[in-house]
Amino acid sequence: HMALLPIRHPQKDFFVLDISDVVPKDDTASMEHPIFSLATKPDMRFLHYADKNGNVLEIEPSGKGLPTIFDKDILIFCISQLMHLKNQGKPIGKRVRFSAREMMVATNRRTDGDAYKLLEKAFSRLRGTNFKTTIRTGGKMEKRIFGLIDEGGFVYHDDDRLRRNYCEIVLSDWLMRAIESADVVTISPDYFRLRRPLERRIYEIARKHCGKSSKWHIGLDKLQAKTGSNAPLKRFRLNLRQIIEEDHTPFYRIELDENDLVTFRPRSAKIELGQDIFIPEWADEKAREIAREKGWDYYALRDKWLNYARAETGKGNPPKNAGATFVSYCKKQKSLR
């Protein structure tokens, strides 16, 4: 057989993503608009969104259909890795290279024989779907057409078995702008454990709109429009009821009342300290991020604070706001000793 061409561009222009235990991050623009399909079969719909200010976004599917919510894992993985490097003050770029296996493990995907075929189809959908948007700047209107990634593919070992070595992706400028302006938010690692596409999408919407607030309301029909689900409302209501009943949604509890009002509330991670001291989930998440940045074991850090808070409570100074006290304690720590 023919020998492979030499590697003409050895590594210098690709950033190698070294898989550290990074916190998953999601870009807020794609959380806002349902640009990923919830369908499991090829979704050939042309989508059209317009906002109150007359900005228009049109999405034309690739020949293999719209990108799916599971294809999005690949982008979440890249964004998370790049934000991790950026937060450490390291240079980043849009050309990234990573081991497919490591990406699959990080996003809780299967790693069997079909996994690579699925990945290749995902690259096609991410690369081939066109986004058209109108932008108004300085009295002019522009129409831009772009994709989510500019390239995607595999590099093979130069040996008889042609084993896949790693993936290379060139992210689009649109995604890079989200990373450069830090328009990203942390999401729960349990996001990758959600089986239902709709539940992933609903979690993203809650994460974007409810965030850390005590609650967020939205009408069922509006929520459906935000998810991009094209099921009849009756079917959507049934699907949402199932999700509520299973109660797996990370971070948020969902309620649906008889007037079709949907309410999201953050769950609290109760860590009993006395009767009423507990670390709310937002503080738990923030402290995990601090521990990760400092390279510490989160649980050791939490135990250290719990001991301190218990001692203070014993002296009659219980923390008034346990979450805020915990986070500021974590920030001030110089070491774990």
Side-chain angles (χ1 to χ4, degrees), residues 37-39 41-47 61-62 64-67 228 230:
S37 169
L38 304 178
K41 297 194 263 306
D43 186 343
M44 307 308 284
R45 287 178 301 154
F46 282 67
L47 305 178
S62 73
K64 293 193 165 58
L66 294 167
N230 58 345

Side-chain angles (χ1 to χ4, degrees), residues 5-223:
L5 287 167
I7 294 179
R8 296 187 171 127
H9 312 285
Q11 288 192 356
K12 64 179 179 291
D13 44 359
F14 277 94
F15 277 97
V16 180
L17 297 181
D18 170 28
I19 311 315
S20 39
D21 173 29
V22 310
V23 55
K25 294 216 180 336
D26 198 346
D27 77 290
T28 53
S30 72
M31 291 169 87
E32 182 60 58
H33 297 290
I35 61 183
F36 291 90
S37 169
L38 304 178
T40 44
K41 297 194 263 306
D43 186 343
M44 307 308 284
R45 287 178 301 154
F46 282 67
L47 305 178
H48 185 279
Y49 303 106
D51 69 11
K52 296 185 281 292
N53 311 322
N55 298 314
V56 174
L57 173 66
E58 291 171 17
I59 305 176
E60 299 178 341
S62 73
K64 293 193 165 58
L66 294 167
T68 73
I69 196 104
F70 296 105
D71 297 346
K72 188 176 186 179
D73 291 353
I74 300 164
L75 301 184
I76 292 176
F77 173 80
C78 292
I79 291 168
S80 309
Q81 297 293 332
L82 289 172
M83 281 305 294
H84 181 69
L85 292 172
K86 181 172 180 273
N87 289 339
Q88 294 175 327
K90 295 188 177 148
I92 57 168
K94 61 193 283 192
R95 305 176 75 86
V96 295
R97 159 185 288 198
F98 51 87
S99 129
R101 194 188 152 76
E102 284 181 336
M103 186 276 296
M104 289 166 185
V105 170
T107 56
N108 200 38
R109 289 165 89 91
R110 300 198 341 232
T111 54
D112 53 22
D114 280 346
Y116 289 91
K117 284 194 198 75
L118 293 173
L119 206 50
E120 201 166 322
K121 285 186 177 141
F123 287 159
S124 290
R125 289 185 293 261
L126 291 167
R127 167 74 184 76
T129 295
N130 279 329
F131 291 77
K132 290 188 188 179
T133 175
T134 53
I135 316 160
R136 285 175 174 72
T137 46
K140 285 208 301 282
M141 192 195 90
E142 297 182 6
K143 193 165 205 175
R144 284 278 168 93
I145 300 180
F146 57 91
L148 292 167
I149 64 173
D150 293 347
E151 295 175 28
F154 301 107
V155 179
Y156 292 86
H157 277 295
D158 186 3
D159 65 13
D160 293 343
R161 287 173 310 182
L162 273 187
R163 286 166 306 157
R164 254 175 308 258
N165 195 356
Y166 38 76
C167 291
E168 286 184 345
I169 293 188
V170 180
L171 299 171
S172 70
D173 288 343
W174 184 70
L175 268 181
M176 285 310 287
R177 274 198 296 277
I179 294 169
E180 274 144 22
S181 58
D183 281 338
V184 297
V185 295
T186 303
I187 57 170
S188 165
D190 285 340
Y191 169 84
F192 300 117
R193 296 181 57 199
L194 297 175
R195 291 169 192 275
R196 296 168 182 269
L198 179 61
E199 189 166 9
R200 289 185 174 214
R201 184 72 195 117
I202 284 174
Y203 165 76
E204 283 190 316
I205 292 166
R207 179 66 190 86
K208 168 94 171 59
H209 292 279
C210 184
K212 313 282 198 272
S213 332
S214 58
K215 63 175 184 224
W216 177 64
H217 295 300
I218 186 172
L220 186 71
D221 52 345
K222 281 214 178 74
L223 178 65

Side-chain angles (χ1 to χ4, degrees), residues 220-253:
L220 186 71
D221 52 345
K222 281 214 178 74
L223 178 65
Q224 172 163 22
K226 274 188 177 298
T227 63
S229 151
N230 58 345
L233 189 67
K234 205 166 108 181
R235 175 91 210 137
F236 182 76
R237 188 186 296 113
L238 202 70
N239 292 343
L240 182 63
R241 286 230 163 93
Q242 253 171 329
I243 288 171
I244 291 173
E245 203 169 305
E246 288 166 7
D247 198 26
H248 293 313
T249 313
F251 208 95
Y252 299 99
R253 196 167 279 116

